[in-house]
């Protein structure tokens, strides 16, 4: 039996716990033994990306300590997974021992769609979602982790879903973490293009693998009264019969 | 040119509100970026990728031995009968060009396109000393007439509509109003042709400089570069010192990359190689050839292993065309010579990080720049490094907002202790309740954060955190649906 530890991410823990619930249910349905190391908070990405590496550092160590015995670490976010897999070993480079631990743990750490398709070798999880959906390829997932086909393969496996490809699906939504408030007007101007692309698809849900992008797009879709809803990949994969 | 990098937000806001600029930026996407993609497909992505790796390898090799190759280039230029000048900074470089002009009694200089000359603010210095410097690249000519700076590395006047150019020409050159593109080009051509013949000096940039042969290579589409370098009696070529490459055969790599990455062309209309002044057996060409090699912050990039890659840049502008931020704010917002993602990396080295601190933060870190770069420069990583330098770097480099510092300190404290976090969340969940509309906030009365809700709703904290759900329900529950296998 495969054992995996969930790194829920701070956004999911604090704002979107249903994504964590869906992830756990999905993994358990695939007979993964899931645990959740209590006390985990954030991967440190907001501080790291803003230049505050000294505040990101203790969080990197926290991740190392809490997950050191994990067989796999599963992260339902492309950018947090990229922080852990790509940048954390670099952040810890001044301490070779920690850096080495980070490299080893990073190797066992996967973004959710990556874990499902590349590790578990599953593309059909028995999900059904009878609606028109579209997909936004989150930047860090795509360009830092090189994950492009996995989420699409999973979406193809969803029964009843009608997939409407989005124009320029790989273009940034303008979130960029603190960029969204520091340069709010540029951020919303970029977002406007993304919203037009979403609107054209007439999808009921825009699916992505990162709650950062989804809360950004979702917040604007709500402000504009659009009918499309933001939806995490894990939630589009909740089997119909599940009460979540 | 005084950097206006500190005014990034103001200049960006102006661009966002300028409908003509926005229209031009959209055209950039369909024009340049899609042409680039087609050119790569034609070559095959695999071949493209091999070329990029090869180019990277050449650049890495060269920069590791930059002193050697710069020396070799200088020796060979002198052997060919040219003169070599080294300039520590832009001011020194401009002074060198002025001195050459003065020594030779030059009153008019024609210029091919050169971003390095923009670093030097060369036109201003020459003009202030009685030497007229005339841009001959059509785009550069337009912005010179308009008194502006380049909007884009390879397409300096891309932000101007045909109508604006017609109006500008009518005002400055007395041409008939409402002229079309063809007429405007003809007018520019006729005006400039005379100047080429009158000029005492031709000034050009350098795309690549071949160390083993002492040759400078100039890549253009308009032919003005060739005229600037062959008609006037003196040719002054300006280059950043990183533009050197070891061997002539390297052009087989770079010249396949540069036009495709820049404009989607297989080759440019003109490709000029200049190896020194006219020789006895030559029918034409300049009597004097000067090569000015400028540092201007480049050794600062070279010395920093995390930023050195910025010197790999071949100035194709592909990262500008791919950048979601550049595509909204355009080139003038960046406030200095080099805009876009690569500008955000090299500008701090040239004007100083504290002055240019806005630039590395003006990015979503989406990585599109790195993806399109013909030499695979990892720009996001360098932006992150510059951000860290700005916040926690050497005291002279630092330039962080105290409010942001306090916010991150508080945030760090919360994230380091799940107990403190849980207590704080309890308070916040209570406080947000009156403002929540179906789980979203329409206003956030907090400094900085209030800007989020100017265009977007913000989610409220969930009533129960995932930690609570896990402890209360999930930890012990079995799968809610039967397993698939």
């Amino acid at each position: 039996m495969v054992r995996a530890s969930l790194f829920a991410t701070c956004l999911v823990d604090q704002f979107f716990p249903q994504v964590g619930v869906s992830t756990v249910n999905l993994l358990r349905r695939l007979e993964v033994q899931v645990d959740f190391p209590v006390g985990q908070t954030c991967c440190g990405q907001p501080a790291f990306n803003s230049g505050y590496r000294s505040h990101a550092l203790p969080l990197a160590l926290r991740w190392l300590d809490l997950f050191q015995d994990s067989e796999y670490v599963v992260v339902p976010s492309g950018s947090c997974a990229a922080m852990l897999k790509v940048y954390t070993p670099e952040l810890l480079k001044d301490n070779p021992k920690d850096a080495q631990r980070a490299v080893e743990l990073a190797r066992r750490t996967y973004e959710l769609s990556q874990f499902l398709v590349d590790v578990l070798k599953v593309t059909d999880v028995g999900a059904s979602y009878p609606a028109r959906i579209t997909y936004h390829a989150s930047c860090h997932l795509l360009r830092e982790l090189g994950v492009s086909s996995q989420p699409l393969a999973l979406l193809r496996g969803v029964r009843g879903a009608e997939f409407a490809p989005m124009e320029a699906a790989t273009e940034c939504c303008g979130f960029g973490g603190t960029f969204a408030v520091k340069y709010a007007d540029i951020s919303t101007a970029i977002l406007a293009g993304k919203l037009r692309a979403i609107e054209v698809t007439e999808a009921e849900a825009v699916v992505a693998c990162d709650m950062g992008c989804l809360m950004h797009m979702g917040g604007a879709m709500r402000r504009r009264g659009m009918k499309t809803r933001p939806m995490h990949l894990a939630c589009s994969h909740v089997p119909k019969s599940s009460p979540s | 040119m005084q950097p206006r990098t500190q005014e990034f937000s103001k200049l960006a806001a102006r661009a966002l509100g300028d409908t003509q600029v926005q229209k031009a930026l959209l055209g950039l996407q369909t024009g340049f970026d899609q042409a680039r993609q087609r050119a790569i497909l034609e070559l095959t992505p695999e071949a493209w990728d091999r070329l990029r790796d090869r180019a990277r390898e050449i650049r890495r090799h060269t920069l590791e031995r930059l002193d050697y190759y710069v020396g070799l280039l200088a020796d060979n230029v002198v052997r060919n009968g040219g003169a070599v000048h080294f300039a520590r900074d832009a001011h020194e470089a401009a002074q060198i060009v002025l001195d050459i002009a003065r020594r030779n009694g030059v009153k008019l200089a024609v210029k091919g396109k050169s971003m390095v000359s923009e670093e030097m603010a060369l036109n201003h210095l020459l003009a202030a000393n009685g030497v007229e410097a005339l841009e001959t690249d059509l785009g550069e000519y337009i912005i010179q007439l308009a008194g502006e700076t380049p909007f884009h590395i390879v397409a300096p006047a891309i932000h101007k509509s045909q109508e604006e150019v017609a109006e500008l020409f009518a005002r400055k050159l007395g041409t008939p109003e409402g002229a079309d593109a063809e007429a405007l080009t003809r007018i520019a051509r006729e005006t400039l042709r005379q100047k080429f013949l009158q000029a005492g000096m031709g000034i050009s940039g350098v795309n690549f400089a071949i160390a083993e042969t002492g040759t400078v290579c100039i890549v253009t589409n308009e032919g003005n570069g060739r005229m600037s370098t062959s008609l006037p009696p003196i040719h002054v070529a300006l280059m950043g010192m990183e533009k050197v490459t070891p061997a002539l055969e390297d052009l087989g790599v770079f010249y396949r990359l540069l036009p495709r990455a820049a404009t989607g062309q297989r080759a440019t209309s003109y490709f000029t190689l200049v190896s020194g002044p006219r020789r006895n057996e030559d029918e034409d060409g300049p009597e004097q050839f000067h090569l000015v090699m400028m540092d201007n912050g480049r050794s600062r990039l070279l010395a920093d292993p995390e930023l050195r890659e910025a010197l790999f840049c071949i100035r194709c502008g592909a990262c500008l065309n791919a950048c979601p931020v550049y595509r909204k704010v355009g080139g003038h917002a960046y406030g200095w010579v080099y805009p876009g993602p690569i500008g955000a990396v090299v500008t701090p080295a040239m004007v100083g990080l504290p002055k240019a601190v806005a630039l590395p933060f003006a990015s979503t870190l989406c990585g599109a720049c790195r993806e399109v770069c013909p030499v695979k420069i990892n720009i996001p990583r360098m932006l992150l490094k510059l951000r860290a330098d700005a916040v926690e770097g050497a005291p002279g480099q630092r330039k962080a907002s105290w409010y942001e510092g306090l916010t991150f300190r508080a945030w760090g404290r919360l994230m380091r202790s799940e107990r403190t976090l849980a207590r704080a969340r309890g308070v916040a969940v209570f406080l947000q309740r009156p403002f929540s509309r179906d789980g979203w906030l329409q206003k956030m009365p907090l400094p900085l954060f209030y800007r989020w809700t100017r265009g977007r709703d913000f989610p409220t904290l969930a009533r129960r955190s995932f930690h609570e759900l896990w402890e209360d329900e999930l930890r012990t529950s079995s799968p809610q649906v039967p397993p698939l296998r």
Side-chain angles (χ1 to χ4, degrees):
Chain A
M1 196 180 204
V2 176
R3 292 186 300 119
S5 306
L6 175 67
F7 186 91
T9 78
C10 57
L11 275 185
V12 166
D13 187 22
Q14 299 299 322
F15 292 92
F16 309 104
Q18 70 280 9
V19 173
V21 175
S22 298
T23 304
V24 170
N25 285 335
L26 174 59
L27 291 171
R28 282 181 172 166
R29 186 176 151 90
L30 296 167
E31 297 186 281
V32 176
Q33 192 185 321
V34 184
D35 69 296
F36 175 74
V38 170
Q40 56 175 285
T41 55
C42 171
C43 63
Q45 188 185 189
F48 183 78
N49 283 1
S50 302
Y52 292 85
R53 296 193 177 186
S54 61
H55 291 310
L57 197 78
L59 301 177
L61 294 171
R62 198 180 174 87
W63 169 65
L64 282 183
D65 291 342
L66 279 171
F67 290 83
Q68 60 181 349
D69 298 325
S70 300
E71 186 177 318
Y72 291 106
V73 182
V74 175
V75 189
S77 156
S79 64
C80 307
M83 177 67 207
L84 296 171
K85 284 174 79 68
V86 180
Y87 287 108
T88 298
E90 278 181 38
L91 176 64
L92 297 169
K93 66 177 184 295
D94 289 338
N95 185 336
K97 226 177 86 193
D98 289 334
Q100 188 51 37
R101 285 171 70 205
V103 167
E104 280 159 23
L105 187 54
R107 222 175 275 144
R108 309 201 300 277
T109 299
Y110 292 85
E111 181 278 327
L112 176 63
S113 73
Q114 203 180 18
F115 182 70
L116 294 176
V117 177
D118 297 351
V119 178
L120 299 182
K121 313 281 181 206
V122 186
T123 51
D124 182 353
V125 298
S128 87
Y129 187 75
R132 195 173 167 86
I133 56 170
T134 189
Y135 175 70
H136 163 74
S138 295
C139 298
H140 285 74
L141 178 73
L142 180 69
R143 300 193 187 89
E144 291 288 351
L145 299 179
V147 172
S148 57
S149 62
Q150 294 89 328
L152 292 170
L154 288 161
L155 288 179
R156 267 196 300 276
V158 178
R159 282 163 194 76
E162 185 192 345
F163 187 74
M166 186 195 300
E167 178 89 3
T170 58
E171 272 173 28
C172 183
C173 72
F175 174 49
T178 51
F179 174 84
V181 291
K182 271 194 184 144
Y183 296 109
D185 295 341
I186 306 174
S187 172
T188 43
I190 298 169
L191 178 58
K194 185 53 77 174
L195 295 177
R196 271 194 301 277
I198 293 171
E199 212 152 28
V200 170
T201 65
E202 297 182 344
E204 269 175 54
V206 51
V207 179
C209 299
D210 202 310
M211 285 318 297
C213 321
L214 284 166
M215 86 172 176
H216 190 234
M217 295 185 289
M221 293 191 300
R222 190 182 141 83
R223 175 65 59 94
R224 294 180 174 208
M226 284 166 65
K227 72 177 174 83
T228 314
R229 293 191 308 128
M231 181 174 276
H232 192 279
L233 183 87
C235 300
S236 64
H237 281 75
V238 180
K240 261 276 152 174
S241 52
S242 134
S244 136
Chain B
M1 172 187 165
Q2 280 302 310
R4 299 183 71 191
T5 43
Q6 281 154 311
E7 298 169 59
F8 177 82
S9 290
K10 193 180 102 191
L11 298 170
R14 188 182 298 169
L16 284 172
D18 187 326
T19 45
Q20 167 51 31
V21 165
Q22 292 304 314
K23 207 171 118 198
L25 285 166
L26 275 180
L28 205 63
Q29 202 165 328
T30 44
F32 284 177
D33 198 51
Q34 288 172 11
R36 179 190 61 82
Q37 292 176 34
R38 279 195 299 274
I40 292 169
L41 279 180
E42 184 197 53
L43 195 70
T44 76
E46 295 73 29
W48 180 251
D49 210 50
R50 279 196 301 275
L51 276 175
R52 293 166 83 200
D53 285 336
R54 183 77 194 103
R56 247 188 103 72
E57 187 47 40
I58 296 170
R59 298 300 292 141
R60 195 189 54 75
H61 169 95
T62 311
L63 289 168
E64 273 172 12
R65 302 154 183 83
L66 189 61
D67 53 341
Y68 169 74
Y69 284 115
V70 162
L72 186 63
L73 172 66
D75 289 350
N76 284 322
V77 167
V78 170
R79 186 166 306 146
N80 294 340
V84 175
H85 312 264
F86 292 100
R88 195 178 315 246
D89 55 31
H91 177 75
E92 231 177 83
Q95 201 59 47
I96 289 167
V97 180
L98 177 62
D99 288 346
I100 299 170
R102 275 187 177 150
R103 262 205 314 278
N104 292 281
V106 173
K107 289 278 162 249
L108 171 67
V110 284
K111 276 184 73 197
K113 191 171 154 10
S114 158
M115 292 305 283
V116 163
S117 78
E118 300 288 339
E119 283 179 55
M120 295 156 53
L122 182 60
N123 296 358
H124 292 285
L125 183 77
L126 292 180
N129 289 279
V131 182
E132 186 194 353
L134 189 73
E135 297 288 350
T136 63
D137 172 275
L138 182 56
E140 293 280 352
Y141 182 57
I142 292 167
I143 62 163
Q144 188 180 31
L145 286 177
E148 295 180 15
T149 54
F151 187 82
H152 187 283
I153 293 177
V154 301
I158 194 95
H159 59 300
K160 292 224 174 287
S161 70
Q162 186 181 307
E163 292 72 35
E164 282 174 304
V165 176
E167 195 270 329
L168 178 71
F169 276 27
R171 193 152 40 86
K172 294 277 180 176
L173 305 173
T175 59
E177 279 180 40
D180 62 5
E182 203 179 318
L184 291 170
T185 313
R186 201 173 49 241
I187 293 159
R189 187 188 168 96
E190 280 159 11
T191 315
L192 293 174
R193 188 64 52 126
Q194 283 311 308
K195 301 284 187 178
F196 280 122
L197 296 167
Q198 294 160 7
M201 179 193 265
I203 300 170
S204 78
V206 172
N207 288 97
F208 307 102
I210 320 296
E212 67 169 7
T213 58
T215 304
V216 299
C217 168
I218 299 157
V219 178
T220 74
N221 273 320
E222 295 175 18
N224 66 309
R226 188 166 294 176
M227 303 233 275
S228 306
T229 58
S230 56
L231 286 177
I234 303 169
H235 172 200
V236 180
L238 311 173
M239 66 179 271
M241 63 177 187
E242 86 284 10
K243 284 287 169 80
V244 65
T245 197
L248 199 56
E249 66 186 42
D250 300 340
L251 293 180
V253 176
F254 292 123
Y255 190 58
R256 273 187 280 177
L257 287 170
L258 178 57
R260 286 182 171 88
T263 54
Q265 290 171 285
R266 288 184 208 126
T268 46
S269 311
Y270 294 86
F271 178 73
T272 304
L273 296 171
V274 177
S275 303
R278 174 205 299 221
R279 274 161 294 200
N280 290 334
E281 65 274 23
D282 290 346
E283 284 179 19
D284 52 17
E287 288 141 28
Q288 291 179 34
F289 173 76
H290 299 267
L291 180 61
V292 181
M293 278 194 256
M294 185 173 84
D295 181 335
N296 203 33
R298 286 163 176 79
S299 50
R300 264 198 289 281
L301 291 170
L302 189 67
D304 190 330
E306 291 181 75
L307 297 177
R308 180 181 286 186
E309 253 189 62
L311 297 176
F312 287 18
C313 177
I314 58 172
R315 304 279 188 262
C316 69
C319 61
L320 280 55
N321 307 335
C323 175
V325 175
Y326 179 89
R327 283 194 325 209
K328 284 296 162 208
V329 305
H332 290 160
Y334 291 80
W336 203 58
V337 175
Y338 300 104
I342 192 64
V345 176
V346 301
T347 306
M350 294 176 179
V351 309
L353 182 57
K355 251 189 206 168
V357 74
L359 306 188
F361 287 93
S363 162
T364 66
L365 302 172
C366 80
C369 47
R370 177 188 181 192
E371 189 175 67
V372 300
C373 177
V375 281
K376 297 190 180 179
I377 301 175
N378 192 340
I379 294 177
R381 179 161 298 167
M382 290 189 283
L383 296 175
L384 287 169
K385 149 83 169 141
L386 288 167
R387 291 178 182 193
D389 284 351
V391 172
E392 297 179 338
Q397 294 284 293
R398 249 181 265 164
K399 177 92 182 179
S401 106
W402 61 269
Y403 171 71
E404 195 184 290
L406 275 180
T407 308
F408 269 108
R409 191 178 299 174
W411 175 89
R413 191 164 289 178
L414 287 178
M415 292 299 153
R416 279 198 299 276
S417 154
E418 71 269 25
R419 289 224 182 85
T420 319
L421 180 62
R423 272 201 295 275
R425 121 180 276 287
V427 176
V429 166
F430 176 76
L431 288 177
Q432 76 184 4
R433 201 171 295 166
F435 306 101
S436 168
R437 301 277 174 280
D438 314 322
W440 294 90
L441 301 171
Q442 280 157 354
K443 271 210 170 83
M444 273 193 294
L446 293 167
L448 210 56
F449 291 95
Y450 76 94
R451 294 188 199 157
W452 177 287
T453 45
R454 281 213 300 249
R456 299 147 289 199
D457 287 2
F458 193 80
T460 53
L461 288 160
R463 203 167 47 79
R464 289 197 294 167
S465 71
F466 182 77
H467 264 85
E468 292 167 61
L469 292 177
W470 174 264
E471 291 295 354
D472 297 350
E473 294 163 19
L474 281 168
R475 184 196 278 279
T476 50
S477 72
S478 52
Q480 289 154 327
V481 279
L484 206 59
R485 293 177 296 191

